[in-house]
Amino acid sequence: METIGLHEADEDFIREVEERSGQALSRCYQCGNCTAGCPMSFTYDYPVSRLMRFIQAGRKDLVLSARTIWMCASCETCSERCPNKIDVAGVVEACRHMACRAGKDGVYAVKTFWDAFVLSVNQHGRAHEAGLLAMYMFRTGRFWTDVDLAPKMLPKGKIAILPHRIQGRREVAEIFRRFREGAADEEAVRSRLAAERRDDVVAAYSGEGCP
Amino acid sequence: MRIGVFICHCGSNIAGTVDCASVAEQAAAFPDVVFSTDTLYACSEPGQDAIIEAIKEHRLTGVVVASCTPRMHEPTFRRAVERAGLNRYLFEMANIREHVSWIGKDMQANTNKSAELVRMAVAKLRLNTELKPKFFPVTKRVLVIGGGVAGIQAALDAADAGLEVVMVEREPSIGGKMAKLDKTFPTVDCSSCILGPRMVDVAQHPNITLHAASEVEAVSGYVGNFEVTIRKKSTCVDWSKCTGCGLCTEKCPAKKSYDRFNEGMGHTSAIVIPFPQAIPKKAGIEKEHCRLFRTGKCGVCAKICPTGAVDYAMRDQIVSVKVGGIVAATGYDLMDWTVYEEYGGGRYPDVITSLQYERLLSASGPTGGHVKRPSDGREPQSVVFIQCVGSRDCSVDRPYCSGFCCMYTAKQAILTKDHLPDSQSYVFYMDIRSPGKGYDEFTRRVQEEYRARYIRGRVSLVYPKGDKLMVRGADTLMGTQVEVEADLVVLAVGGEAARGAPHLAEKLRISYDAYGFFMEGHPKLKPVETNTAGVFLAGSCQGLKDIPSSVAQGSAAAAKVIGLLSRDMLESDPQIAQVNAGRCIGCGKCISVCPFKAIQETEARGLPKVEVIETVCQGCGVCNATCPQGAIQLSHFTDNQILAEVEALCRF
């Protein structure tokens, strides 16, 4: 095992995770309750409490390349049980976003599903399940995953062949356009986020006792 | 007046951000100031000597020291000017440390503000007058509230020193939480064997009067002369007749009543003697379980009692007592752990609290000391202990460490192995906190000798599986989820301030923190005093602590009370309200606002007036602010003195 230089902690990374998630990471005292309750832990490379520790230690590459951040189901059991009221699932989500921006591959199947979902909402104003599944299957080659469910779901209207034509599709598309334009300027987004959330982070830090 | 001004550097505390020499220079020009200087440490011996020298050399009649908060050193400097022959009230203090140097970095602004504060102090001092304290006699009796181990220690120490002691205990027996414990750490000696003799001492000590099943109803008066009203709650048994024979408890038909002493681990009768070693060993009826009170039909205990002590119509009694000092030793209660839904929220009978487990371990408990699961009475093979339940947990607003759970959990794991040699204990902990004499060795012994498995991590879920419980937690040292099958789960539930503690604090006029624990006078230097003179603290009511610390604090509180009441007379503070009878119109507004009932109506030449009861007045000044005539004035803080300060500040 390698020796980790503590002075090599990436302080900017720690700060960015705090800003994006709005959580004060120093509140984590490593009790392990997030790991204890996590139903997806068996799929992880690092348990979530160790991921929190890696973030505290500023291990950017390790965190953003972790399988854990992609396999998290965002069930929020960790956030619910945290004795320090840290939204752990929110921290993991922030890491997932940062991994995307950093151009990390992530776990291909999971990332592909997310991308397909977002694209579907962009095009139709809401998820079009059939199209989204088709895209997911086509891109991942997993043609038989859950196909057995289709005969049950189709007659109940759970999956529609054609997309629903909802109101406000154009407005949703507009949100995506604005995001893409803003997102091109990574620095602007970061400073805007910082300006919005710094208060939360500062407030979370400053109180004695409980926030 | 000839005023001397001394500007303290306090090392670099003040001089670091205030130009002390410049402040002294400016002060020299203030009215009546005849001498002004700066000094390195005014409170040091040479510093005080310099003040005394200056008073003599320059024939000073008033002194201003600009330094720290008066809370710390006002008494120091008052004594110094007194040594030089001045009245102690011809002294004023300007706080240029807490109010200036520690809170600002701008040297120029700080220097200006310091000069302003000195100018105000000088302006007030010019109107100061000599004040002389009066002396009043003290009542050499002490009230101890709470009969746990801390209260018992305080009561015995005070009584042994010759003071009369009145002890008030809410429960029907003294002994507190310690009486419920099976053994104590780190010696594993029997709790009731070491506490029992002390409880008997309390009962038999000629100087101690015990009021069990009683509560403090009201407190008035002041240090040396408190007037305390005690409500002796009706137990429906005349304790002067009850011999504690226990016949009534045997014949009582309501055998399925909740057993409060055993934390609900067994059942008891509705008329009950809490436990064999109870002091006083008297029976009492728990009305919510009694058949007579619930259905109107029974009366068995009254028929069976050989002394005719049972009296269903008995009422609460009110007793009044005068005391000179008060020790609050009200202890703690366990927090309500059922907020933890993930541990079953109280639905699983085999998930119990550590205090309930003590009763299962105890030979005087409901199982006679045989460890049996509450659900089916089987002996558990696998016992899981979960620490920090309701401690160090912001999500339930209990961020503090309860301090004793690590140790009693280790003790219970040892006792489990003693009782059930084939059993295996698992302890989920976050950090082991064992900073006491022999404590850490004890937590090592439970792991090395008694083979308890310690797992560093919290538990996220307890769920039933067949007739067992599955406990899912984390082992953060392995970095993985872990699961263990348990027959019995013991929650190391943290403590919180005793039920009703804030309410009592308000009666005693002492402060309490956000969690209901009583505030000590100073976190380091006044650990058993409060900010109310004559009221002292002992034990967990001040903050959770284990038995040795509680006993130490009990003795410390007793020492303070003994010191206070060793004097025959106490000095009254002359900074109290005074009435100018000529201006008083007898409207009585001051009487209605006075929180100490220190003002009473009187008459002068047929006109209604008021007068101040000097020993009762605490000098709060509410009457002064209320009086429409400016007739009632607080000595040393008169309207004129305060206006002089305002004028000194607002002269531009």
Side-chain angles (χ1 to χ4, degrees), chain B residues 200-221:
Chain B
V200 173
D201 287 349
V202 168
Q204 297 184 343
H205 205 295
N207 285 355
I208 301 179
T209 312
L210 174 61
H211 298 286
S214 302
E215 285 192 69
V216 170
E217 180 95 340
V219 178
S220 60

Side-chain angles (χ1 to χ4, degrees), chain B residues 505-524:
Chain B
E506 280 153 26
K507 286 178 189 166
L508 294 172
R509 298 192 299 268
I510 59 177
S511 25
Y512 52 94
D513 68 13
Y515 304 102
F517 293 111
F518 300 154
M519 293 291 283
E520 62 279 10
H522 186 281
K524 282 135 198 136

Side-chain angles (χ1 to χ4, degrees), chain A residues 29-30 35 38 81 83 210, chain B residues 392 394 430 456 458 460 481:
Chain A
Y29 56 29
Q30 286 290 314
T35 296
C38 181
R81 301 278 156 83
C210 292
Chain B
R392 304 176 65 197
C394 280
M430 286 209 288
R456 196 215 173 269
R458 250 182 132 94
S460 172
Q481 253 176 5

Side-chain angles (χ1 to χ4, degrees), chain B residues 154 196 210 298 325 637:
Chain B
L210 174 61
C298 188
F637 295 96

